[in-house]
Amino acid sequence: MLTRRLLQLFLGLAMYGISLALFIRAGLGLDPWDVFHQGVAGRTGLSIGLVVIIVSFLVLLLWIPLRQRPGFGTLCNAVLVGVFADIGLALIPALSHLGGQIGMLAGAVLLNGIASACYIGARFGPGARDGLMTGLARRTGWSVRLSRTLIEVVVLAVGWVLGGSVGVGTVVYALAIGPLVQLLLPVFMVPAALPAVPYRQEHNGTAAAPEPLASNG
């Protein structure tokens, strides 16, 4: 089970980074956080993958007042998505034909949905940005939807001002990614480990049938 979880985690994060590269090469708009990443990258001259990594760790600092604890998957997410985004950009050419751009956008959304279901289903902890959303909701009493909307509106606005790409792809992502992940998550969700059932040993050394211990309340 651990092997499957690790494979899902790393494969999911790799696909997520590649999907980001596909969004960029399609040239039809990015999701809110990546509008921000692209805007920062354009102003600083850093690669977008490096910006993704830096922003991930800065967001993790915001977990401290929210009393969130990162998991193994959180830290892997913070590094690997940016690494594979830069690898994807080095390998995937930009397209100028509208038909090709639309096809690339559709592939990016689908791959992003599969990637999200993979790494969430591996149960190694949320990404930095998802943890910020859920932590804010828990500490303020706001709904997760409201917390996510507020965060993404802010980063989208800042990214757009910085020169990030906003377009039809931004809208398509916003409408499609939630239902797509919800559809795919049951396929990739690793079952939670069942607790071991204590059993008593007979005097002759043979194991009796499993017998749950009494609860102490």
Side-chain angles (χ1 to χ4, degrees):
M1 187 67 71
L2 179 61
T3 300
R4 174 190 165 179
R5 291 174 66 204
L6 289 170
L7 182 62
Q8 260 193 225
L9 174 67
F10 295 135
L11 185 60
L13 296 178
M15 289 191 296
Y16 201 102
I18 297 298
S19 74
L20 169 54
L22 288 171
F23 273 113
I24 293 172
R25 292 304 190 217
L28 296 175
L30 306 175
D31 70 274
W33 273 105
D34 290 326
V35 172
F36 176 72
H37 297 146
Q38 188 183 50
V40 173
R43 294 300 182 105
T44 62
L46 300 174
S47 73
I48 194 166
L50 182 55
V51 170
V52 169
I53 294 170
I54 293 171
V55 171
S56 295
F57 282 101
L58 291 177
V59 170
L60 284 176
L61 294 178
L62 298 177
W63 283 31
I64 297 173
L66 297 176
R67 298 180 183 176
Q68 291 272 96
R69 293 185 178 181
F72 174 70
T74 308
L75 300 177
C76 291
N77 187 309
V79 175
L80 294 181
V81 170
V83 169
F84 280 97
D86 278 348
I87 291 174
L89 287 171
L91 298 176
I92 302 169
L95 299 178
S96 57
H97 186 271
L98 182 59
Q101 291 175 295
I102 293 172
M104 188 173 284
L105 173 63
V109 173
L110 178 59
L111 186 63
N112 191 277
I114 296 171
S116 298
C118 273
Y119 85 76
I120 293 171
R123 296 180 182 270
F124 276 114
R129 295 153 188 79
D130 290 333
L132 176 63
M133 170 189 67
T134 56
L136 183 64
R138 191 184 70 252
R139 294 287 289 172
T140 62
W142 299 342
S143 68
V144 172
R145 178 176 295 182
L146 176 59
S147 299
R148 176 172 182 167
T149 300
L150 290 175
I151 291 170
E152 292 193 348
V153 165
V154 170
V155 297
L156 177 64
V158 174
W160 178 70
V161 169
L162 292 175
S165 175
V166 178
V168 65
T170 310
V171 177
V172 170
Y173 181 89
L175 294 176
I177 196 63
L180 188 57
V181 174
Q182 184 175 359
L183 176 66
L184 294 171
L185 194 55
V187 177
F188 294 101
M189 181 63 72
V190 176
L194 296 175
V197 179
Y199 64 88
R200 57 187 176 83
Q201 195 80 9
E202 298 294 344
H203 291 297
N204 62 5
T206 61
E211 181 178 288
L213 298 178
S215 171
N216 60 8

